[in-house]
């Protein structure tokens, strides 16, 4: 797979991460654990389906970028979830001084890591600390289920608003979590059904009337309710944006952990959403 370079400088590199690729191997990355042999191929069992892939192990973004740089060592400055996409920032590790704390897996985490500075600032530590700065802004775009209405309030009219709700991290510890959101647009598209010839209008064309969805087959798609949302996390907690949006009753489409499995299945089966796609993109 060809990796698209979005920006490059003397000490940094920004690439476009596609969905369904991990940033680096870790216990939280949802790596391939259940493998079957099927006619000479690996059948990978995912939470929402199967995929036949080559025997070669998946290459994370860290390794792919290193290979693209012909072996030049790079450090990962932050992470994106496997199903998410968008800008991924790396530093060139050869600019790090000995003792400066650079790491091949360096990234922003829940502990707000600090790096030694007795040898002067390093590109890796500078970039990580810059993203940890409260004034830094990372803007995500999410496609969520729901038309932007919560308890009768139109979230699209609120502009930017803040959700300050503690969440548990991957180790079960309750941590402060703050995210700013802006609902840009939301709509509902109802599937229409053509009536019989006796219901033709004056122009001779059939009128179209919304189906009664409670009478529809369970296998048929429901009305499409979706919104486009901007998100700016002020803290870097585990699945923070995904969990805060789920708390607003607008889970991200494709989110198999904090979303709606039935709706996700409909989007995959009827609207061609990728099997491992989480509709979250870092701009």
């Amino acid at each position: 797979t060809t990796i698209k370079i979005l920006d490059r400088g003397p000490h940094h590199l920004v690439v476009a991460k596609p969905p369904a690729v991990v940033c680096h191997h870790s216990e939280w990355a949802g790596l391939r654990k259940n493998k079957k042999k099927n006619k000479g191929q690996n059948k990978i069992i995912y939470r929402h389906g199967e995929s036949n892939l080559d025997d070669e192990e998946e290459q994370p973004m860290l390794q792919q970028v290193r290979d693209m740089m012909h072996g030049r060592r790079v450090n990962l400055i932050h992470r994106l979830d496997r199903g998410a996409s968008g800008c991924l920032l790396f530093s060139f590790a050869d600019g790090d001084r000995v003792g400066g704390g650079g790491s091949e897996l360096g990234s922003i985490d829940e502990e707000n890591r600090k790096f030694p500075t007795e040898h002067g600032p390093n590109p890796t530590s500078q970039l990580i600390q810059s993203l940890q700065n409260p004034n830094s802004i990372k803007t995500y775009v999410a496609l969520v289920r729901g038309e932007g209405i919560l308890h009768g309030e139109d979230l699209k009219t609120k502009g930017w608003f803040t959700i300050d709700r503690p969440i548990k991290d991957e180790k079960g510890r309750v941590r402060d979590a703050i995210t700013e959101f802006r609902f840009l647009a939301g709509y509902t598209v109802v599937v229409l059904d053509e009536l019989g010839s006796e219901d033709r209008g004056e122009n001779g064309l059939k009128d179209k009337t919304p189906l009664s969805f409670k009478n529809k087959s369970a296998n048929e798609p429901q009305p499409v309710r979706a919104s486009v949302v901007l998100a700016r996390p002020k803290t870097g907690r585990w699945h923070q944006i995904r969990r805060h949006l789920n708390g607003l009753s607008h889970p991200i489409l494709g989110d198999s952990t904090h979303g709606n499995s039935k709706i996700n299945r409909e989007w995959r089966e009827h609207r061609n959403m990728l099997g491992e796609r989480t509709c979250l993109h870092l701009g």
Side-chain angles (χ1 to χ4, degrees):
T1 303
T2 301
I3 298 177
K4 183 178 181 180
I5 297 177
L6 302 176
D7 187 55
R8 181 174 181 174
H11 303 293
H12 78 278
L13 185 71
V14 181
V15 304
K17 177 194 174 298
V21 180
V22 296
C23 289
H24 64 85
H25 289 314
S26 75
E27 59 180 317
W28 302 107
L31 301 177
R32 309 167 178 201
K33 294 181 180 179
N34 300 317
K35 292 188 176 183
K36 291 182 181 180
K37 289 289 183 178
N38 181 33
K39 297 182 180 180
Q41 290 182 316
N42 282 337
K43 178 175 284 188
I44 312 304
I45 309 301
Y46 294 114
R47 190 170 302 187
H48 291 291
E50 301 175 347
S51 177
N52 290 322
L53 299 136
D54 297 332
D55 291 333
E56 184 177 348
E57 187 67 19
E58 176 190 32
Q59 292 294 316
M61 290 298 298
L62 180 64
Q63 184 62 51
Q64 291 188 50
V65 171
R66 182 181 300 160
D67 292 344
M68 182 177 63
M69 293 289 104
H70 306 291
R72 187 178 182 184
R73 198 160 72 97
V74 295
N75 292 335
L76 184 63
I77 302 301
H78 67 102
R79 295 176 292 232
L80 291 174
D81 294 336
R82 181 194 196 109
S85 60
C87 299
L88 199 58
L89 176 62
F90 293 84
S91 66
F92 290 116
D94 47 23
D96 292 339
R97 296 179 178 87
V98 176
S103 166
E104 290 184 5
L105 295 182
S107 60
I108 290 180
D109 59 22
E110 303 352 312
E111 301 300 332
N112 294 322
R113 295 182 346 190
K114 302 298 182 183
F115 294 98
T117 58
E118 63 269 21
H119 297 283
N122 293 333
T124 297
S125 61
Q126 282 188 313
L127 288 170
I128 291 177
Q129 289 170 4
S130 293
L131 286 186
Q132 290 174 342
N133 190 303
N135 294 322
S136 70
I137 297 176
K138 289 195 298 181
T139 303
Y140 293 77
V141 182
L143 182 63
V144 303
R145 175 183 177 268
E147 64 270 43
I149 306 295
L150 180 65
H151 305 312
E153 181 180 19
D154 188 348
L155 299 178
K156 300 183 293 298
T157 66
K158 289 174 64 67
W160 286 100
F161 63 93
T162 300
I163 296 297
D164 185 348
R165 182 172 64 86
I167 56 179
K168 290 183 178 180
D169 63 15
E170 59 267 42
K171 296 182 180 179
R173 299 170 299 185
V174 177
R175 311 294 297 274
D176 291 337
I178 302 173
T179 312
E180 296 178 345
F181 291 107
R182 183 179 180 184
F183 279 66
L184 294 181
Y187 64 91
T188 301
V189 177
V190 180
V191 179
L192 301 176
D193 184 32
E194 292 188 349
L195 301 178
S197 58
E198 66 276 10
D199 295 305
R200 291 179 184 271
E202 294 180 359
N203 57 6
L205 300 177
K206 292 182 180 180
D207 294 326
K208 292 186 176 181
T209 305
L211 287 172
S212 174
F213 285 95
K214 63 183 180 180
N215 296 325
K216 285 173 63 65
S217 167
N219 295 325
E220 294 186 41
Q222 298 296 304
V224 180
R225 297 188 296 125
S227 297
V228 177
V229 182
L230 299 182
R232 291 176 176 170
K234 309 305 290 185
T235 52
R237 307 309 181 202
W238 181 52
H239 292 179
Q240 176 176 316
I241 296 174
R242 295 161 59 181
R243 295 163 80 178
H244 275 174
L245 280 169
N246 186 48
L248 290 173
S249 299
H250 283 73
I252 296 176
L253 294 172
D255 189 343
S256 59
T257 304
H258 311 289
N260 185 300
S261 59
K262 179 181 178 181
I263 297 299
N264 291 340
R265 185 167 57 251
E266 287 183 1
W267 276 77
R268 293 188 176 101
E269 293 177 354
H270 301 287
R271 301 178 189 103
N272 301 317
M273 186 171 69
L274 297 177
E276 280 196 284
R277 178 54 154 145
T278 301
C279 294
L280 182 65
H281 181 89
L282 175 57

